Amino acid sequence: MAWQPSPESLSTLAACLKDSLSGFDKAAQKQAEIMLAQAKSSPDINNYLVYLFSSQDPPSGLQCSPEDYFLIRSSAAIMLKNNIKTGSKPIPESSVALIKMGIPMCLQDKNSQIRNYAGVIATEMIRRGGIMSWPELLPELLKMIGNESGQVTNEAQEGAMAAMAKICEDNNKMLERELNGERPLNFILPKLIQATKSPLPKVRAHALTAINVFTARKSQAMLNSIDDLLQHLFALASDSNNDVRRQVCRAFAQLVESRPDKIQPHLPGLVDYIITQQKSDDEDLATDAAEFWLTVGEHEHLWHALTPYISKIIPVLLECMVYSAEDIALLGGASDDEDEDDLEQDIKPQFAKKSATRQANGGEGSADPAQNGNAYEKLASMDDDLEEGEIEDFEDGDDANPDERWTLRKCSAAALDVFARDFRDPVFESILPYLTKNLKHSDWPYREAAVLALGAVAEGCLNVVTPHLPELVPYLISLLNDPEPVVRQITCWTLGRYSSWAADLTDPTQKQLFFEPMMEGILTKMLDPNKKVQEAGASAFANLEEKAGKRLEPYSLPIIQQYVKCFKKYKDRNMYILYDCVQTLAEHIGPVLARPDLVNELMPALIERWTKVSDQSRELFPLLECLSYVAMALNDAFTPYAQPIFVRCVNVIHQNLEASLALANDPTLDAPDKDFLVTSLDLLSAIIQALEPAKSSALVQESQPAFFELLTFCMEDPTDEVRQSAYALLGDCAKYVFEQLQPSLPSIFPILLRQLDIESILDEDIDNGFGVINNACWSAGEIAIRHKSNMAPYVPELFQRFMEIINNPGIPKGVTENAAIALGRLGLGNGDLLAPELANFAEEFLNSMDEVDPSDEKATAFRGFTAIVEKNPMAMEKSLLHFFTSIARYRDLKLRSETKSGLHEDFQKAIGIYRQIIPQFDQFFNQLQPQDQQVLKTTYVF
């Protein structure tokens, strides 16, 4: 007998679903959420949800208004989707059968939002179970879209097409993979292209949306269908529907990446088409059109083909860079809002920046390529869990602020920037008349757009702009006092873009005329009465710090004094960029920051903020990161502040790990934010590096809970970024507090060896995974040079892991170099164990070392390698010439350091061994390059 709901349970569930979306009665909402969480454990909960969702009218016995019933259905859909998405157990077959019956019915619903929900659930079913878990779905959708019988309603065609677009978006790789000897996409793509001829504009637009999932990807299906697709795109280019034309513009932009050969012949016509679309009144359409210039401009070959047209394109870009009347209204006009508190939703979500990877070539590699002060940065949506049509509690239209979203204005400015870098001088020549006319325009939107244009061409046209800068820069500095905050804001950004010119001036008079007023002007704007101008000033000053570097040293006291005023004045949002200013200064002036007058100004302000910010606040991320840079700059001068900061970081880590354990036992709890772990681990690393080893050792020794116990938990954390920071800290502990680390090594090594297994990296996490493996290799090498022969139990497995990494061509060079250095370092104290393997790895080791710059790491790796060579010199037969060449080309030996003088002796010893065992040594020696022979003769005794 078919499943039937119990009327009583159905009524209770419906009431809870309605209350769970009620924004008015918070108590009822909370109670409903608790009851729904309990209902999840019921075996037929999904049957009830699909029953409510797929019933167009309230089931008998359910008394409610049409508005309330719509809410109940929506809530049932959201809960059903979440159960499919996050459920730990498989959904019972009986429920799956009901879902498969209900979803096609809902795709035909009169209400577009219900149709959207049905598409989202269908997508989730496929994502979770694969195409073969519901093999009838795609053919059924295509049948509804095609409407061959002529009996399918418009709603059903639109619902099916929207669902298909969603399935393509969320399961693109699955559709491209082979399944029973067929790739589903080879069958689906021609049908989607056919659907672009539908008489229904929504079907045409969604068909193109689905196609655009694949236009940027080089699949077999796209290869087969490209010419057919292009024909349809040209036919749709004049479609009356704006959404269709938006998708046409997107398709052309994406084909620039994947099939420039197909775009190039049509470029003359496309230029005119895109210009027309960019002039549209529909801003979304105009923005998608402007993206085309960005993609062509960034294409390494295709941009040349635009040369004849830039004089046509640039005026359109300039026109689109002026704030529209709508945007001006949304910006809210001039206001001094420095004393108004920030609303929580105004503060951008903060994420810990990726921890640096420890690099073989000395120093650290930043994982954050973002430049300060990018006025047209494109923000990706971070709203992962909301699907189209879902209801968001805090949706109040605030994103309408043109400063916060990707707009036609920003896109046009970004395109101008790219063109300036492509075509250089001609771009400045074509905007010069515009600048002359508008920089002093009486209407501020034109002044503002001219300043934006001048900033946009800064990187590409610096040489041709330079002669004008002595006139332009003082005028820009005067605009810092413009009555309109938006003009002051963009002027800060533009001055930041030209700060490299001012910082590079060497003549003291010119410095006084341009660099000092620029620096002072931007610094002053950090305390503007308008918060957005403060933010732009701080961002521009961080940019200036990057460009000026050490040249800021003479000005460091007034800079820090201004920062201290900002710490007193800023509201929460701007505090984040202020931390960036402080850490950028610390990074560039380094030890100068340890001057007592500077420390006494800066540290009380930072510590005051440190005491105000709670352990749960996301402001802790940028604050901890800032303190890491400050600690590294101050070195031992950080001692008075180190102990309470160290203890708090350990506590933050402990709380976060406890919360993860609690979550494992009770999945209804909130997941802890792993960024607290990342930033705390990084600051502990900085403190351990900064202080004298005895002081760092005392902090580690006194840590409660036990320091290395917490570190081992972090080394096994499921999040890559946490493990990356944990292995960086492990390596720093090996370098600076090895005595404290040593007793914990037996429990650390099994975890470290598991991490070095490259098979454990998942495909989708591959880039993050390499950062972790990189730091794990580095830390293993740092332990090896101190633990020496005590490494013996781990040498065989470490050797195997390092060789797998070095021999894998898919692994980035930096990681293989770190693995090679760690392998070489294993030879210090373990030469006997590795000597039998020498012939199997000598060439790979030497190849990697050829790429590495001189450093202590490289020197110790060669010392370990040479120790292995001494134990088995005959094994070097095939690599001996390479080894001698490496010795000859090893620079840096004259620097005074124990490691390097020791390396000189080791090389001398190795040369001596081969002089004794090679009968015709001179003959062998003459095979080396003449310059290498010369270096060896002058550096070593023969």
Side-chain angles (χ1 to χ4, degrees), residues 371-434:
Q371 291 291 304
N372 282 318
N374 185 354
Y376 29 72
E377 146 192 29
K378 190 167 186 183
L379 294 170
S381 164
M382 290 172 296
D383 171 22
D384 288 338
D385 291 332
L386 282 164
E387 305 287 1
E388 184 184 355
E390 284 192 30
I391 298 161
E392 190 173 1
D393 291 344
F394 43 82
E395 186 61 73
D396 59 1
D398 190 51
D399 193 37
N401 184 336
D403 275 354
E404 306 294 335
R405 59 188 164 83
W406 185 238
T407 58
L408 173 60
R409 175 178 170 276
K410 289 180 186 176
C411 186
S412 301
L416 184 62
D417 181 357
V418 170
F419 283 176
R421 280 179 277 157
D422 288 340
F423 301 105
R424 305 276 166 184
D425 300 7
V427 171
F428 182 67
E429 280 147 24
S430 39
I431 70 164
L432 193 54
Y434 177 85

Side-chain angles (χ1 to χ4, degrees), residues 526-582:
M526 287 178 70
L527 282 174
D528 191 272
N530 180 282
K531 288 192 290 193
K532 288 224 167 109
V533 180
Q534 292 172 3
E535 183 184 9
S539 183
F541 201 79
N543 204 347
L544 181 140
E545 287 174 326
E546 292 272 356
K547 306 282 173 50
K550 288 200 179 313
R551 289 166 290 197
L552 286 178
E553 285 176 14
Y555 312 102
S556 42
L557 184 60
I559 291 171
I560 285 172
Q561 285 169 336
Q562 186 75 337
Y563 288 173
V564 171
K565 286 179 193 162
C566 294
F567 272 113
K568 289 194 174 77
K569 185 99 177 180
Y570 277 9
K571 301 300 174 192
D572 294 345
R573 176 185 168 121
N574 284 347
M575 204 56 83
Y576 293 51
I577 190 95
L578 182 56
Y579 292 134
D580 194 39
C581 289
V582 173

